[in-house]
Amino acid sequence: MVSARPAVAALPAYRPGRNPADLAREIGVERAVKLASNEVAFPPLPAVVQAIAATAGETNRYPDNGATVLTAALAERYGVEPAQVATGCGAVTVCQQLAQAFNDPGTSIVFAWRSFEMYPLLAEVAGARAVRVPLVPGTPGGPADTHDLDGLLAAADETTRLVFVCNPNNPTGTAVRRAELERFLDAVPAETLVVLDEAYREFVTDPEVPDGVELMRGRANVAVLRTFSKAWGLAGLRVGYLLAEDPAVAEAVRKTHVPFSVSTLAQAAAVAALASEDEVRERCAAVVVERTRLTAALRERGRAVADSQANFLWLPLGEATAATAAALEARAVITRPFAGEGLRVTVGTPEEDDVFITALDDVRDTELTNAPAV
Ligand SMILES: *Cc1c(COP(=O)(O)O)cnc(C)c1O
């Protein structure tokens, strides 16, 4: 009998989120609302649809493995050299390439926890140790929801090749600010690569939350991870990228690239999206307006919600998390529970968010009604 490596056998099986069409059918409603995966609710940008249609006739050929046009467009957009850019099949694949490129067995990857779920998995697959540094309260007496940069620094030792700082953090939405992040970057040993995962950068409104691309300049051991999946609306096409101060970092990531894994359609769509940045910014501004409204609506109901710099909110429900998520699903709303910790809710359209708020009110009322009399 064949057997996978023990590290792989021990990995949890992938559990996809509920499909809204299936859920709607199951509970007999017309439509379920999916607020689980942090996509934007807008349809693809018109220029993206056009670019995909125009490129469809080329799909008998392999894609450009070097993604030359996209790489040049990204370099221009961010004011870096093309040699500082590495594209990948979604930012998650770039994360995996980073681990493959920098982690020998026995080395470690340090990151906050709870943070992006991929980090521990890619460490396991690379045979590296995953070092989780607990989040700390961002507000006095509040829930642990914010990066502990001193803790990350203390956890990094001579075996540490990679440190991920997810800013804003998925799933809590909190962000670390310029002064503390600069202090942290200045203290990290030169042999350790710090990757600022900025998948949600486009939704940041706090001027004190730094742009990683600016912080990266002059720091050879810093790189920035971005994606077209969230603000840019291309989650279904899979394009992410790394910008590195040191071209050798980008080159190492390019060397571990699975050949042709960024498709012709994805490359063309990403180029078209970049050229539509004004429209993307308007969409992000609308998401931010809705984020503010949803945050206020939840706080009015006595819910503790951290200030989010991303396109999702974090409800630290603790032990009530799983039951609340199940009760919301029964009311046709799909969210993302982290059992025992909290619920991540994507900012949707105002209509979708109203369905969510109503369902959440109903869950609470039902709980109260069903509570045993005292
Ligand atoms: C969504 C997300 C990504 C990017 O995912 P891709 O779709 O693979 O580009 C990266 N990091 C974080 C923290 C995310 O939430």
Side-chain angles (χ1 to χ4, degrees):
M1 200 173 103
V2 298
S3 48
R5 289 167 46 214
V8 172
L11 293 177
Y14 178 70
R15 289 209 344 259
R18 281 305 299 265
N19 172 300
D22 288 347
L23 176 63
R25 212 171 306 117
E26 189 183 303
I27 61 177
V29 297
E30 201 160 303
R31 182 176 110 83
V33 171
K34 184 189 176 210
L35 302 175
S37 301
N38 298 345
E39 303 113 330
V40 289
F42 301 101
L45 295 156
V48 163
V49 176
Q50 239 171 37
I52 292 172
T55 323
E58 295 169 28
T59 47
N60 57 315
R61 302 290 181 189
Y62 280 108
D64 169 10
N65 196 42
T68 328
V69 176
L70 174 57
T71 300
L74 287 167
E76 158 126 23
R77 164 66 183 79
Y78 292 104
V80 298
E81 293 299 316
Q84 294 173 267
V85 181
T87 58
C89 178
V92 295
T93 310
V94 180
C95 286
Q96 204 164 23
Q97 289 171 245
L98 281 162
Q100 285 176 344
F102 289 94
N103 284 93
D104 272 321
T107 61
S108 69
I109 303 179
V110 172
F111 49 85
W113 200 249
R114 163 126 350 235
S115 188
F116 190 37
E117 293 160 280
M118 271 297 291
Y119 303 153
L121 299 182
L122 59 98
E124 303 286 349
V125 172
R129 271 178 309 117
V131 180
R132 296 167 173 81
V133 177
L135 298 171
V136 291
T139 49
D145 60 7
T146 302
H147 270 80
D148 174 9
L149 292 177
D150 291 337
L152 285 180
L153 197 58
D157 62 20
E158 65 285 349
T159 71
T160 305
R161 294 289 167 273
L162 279 181
V163 178
F164 283 102
V165 178
C166 188
N167 203 37
N169 188 45
N170 177 4
T172 57
T174 58
V176 290
R177 296 190 158 155
R178 185 171 289 107
E180 50 177 331
L181 191 52
E182 279 182 345
R183 222 180 308 119
F184 168 78
L185 294 177
D186 289 340
V188 171
E191 298 73 35
T192 302
L193 179 65
V194 180
V195 178
L196 304 173
D197 184 342
E198 296 189 332
Y200 301 96
R201 171 67 207 172
E202 295 83 356
F203 303 106
V204 170
T205 48
D206 179 347
E208 285 304 308
V209 176
D211 181 328
V213 184
E214 284 164 23
L215 284 195
M216 164 185 114
R217 304 206 193 262
R219 292 185 168 94
N221 65 333
V222 177
V224 175
L225 194 64
R226 299 268 180 106
T227 178
F228 282 96
S229 295
K230 309 288 162 49
W232 303 83
L234 303 187
L237 283 170
R238 319 301 308 125
V239 199
Y241 55 99
L242 181 93
L243 306 172
E245 177 67 357
D246 183 353
V249 170
E251 187 181 43
V253 170
R254 282 194 298 269
K255 283 182 172 174
T256 49
H257 176 75
V258 173
F260 308 114
S261 56
V262 184
S263 76
T264 304
L265 299 184
Q267 292 183 33
V271 170
L274 275 179
S276 306
E277 183 162 351
D278 290 347
E279 246 169 300
V280 171
R281 282 183 185 283
E282 279 170 28
R283 289 174 165 204
C284 291
V287 170
V288 167
V289 168
E290 181 57 12
R291 175 177 81 194
T292 306
R293 185 187 78 96
L294 184 56
T295 303
L298 291 169
R299 286 181 180 159
E300 272 165 28
R301 289 162 167 78
R303 301 274 180 183
V305 189
D307 284 325
S308 172
Q309 288 291 302
N311 68 333
F312 52 83
L313 299 182
W314 175 246
L315 289 165
L317 299 178
E319 294 309 319
T321 301
T324 305
L328 288 169
E329 272 193 21
R331 290 161 179 81
V333 179
I334 307 168
T335 57
R336 180 70 177 85
F338 296 88
E341 296 175 55
L343 201 64
R344 192 191 69 199
V345 184
T346 305
V347 176
T349 63
E351 296 72 32
E352 289 173 332
D353 294 340
D354 283 341
V355 173
F356 161 67
I357 291 169
T358 305
L360 194 63
D361 285 345
D362 189 44
V363 169
R364 176 180 286 182
D365 293 345
T366 310
E367 273 167 13
L368 290 178
T369 318
N370 294 343
V374 280

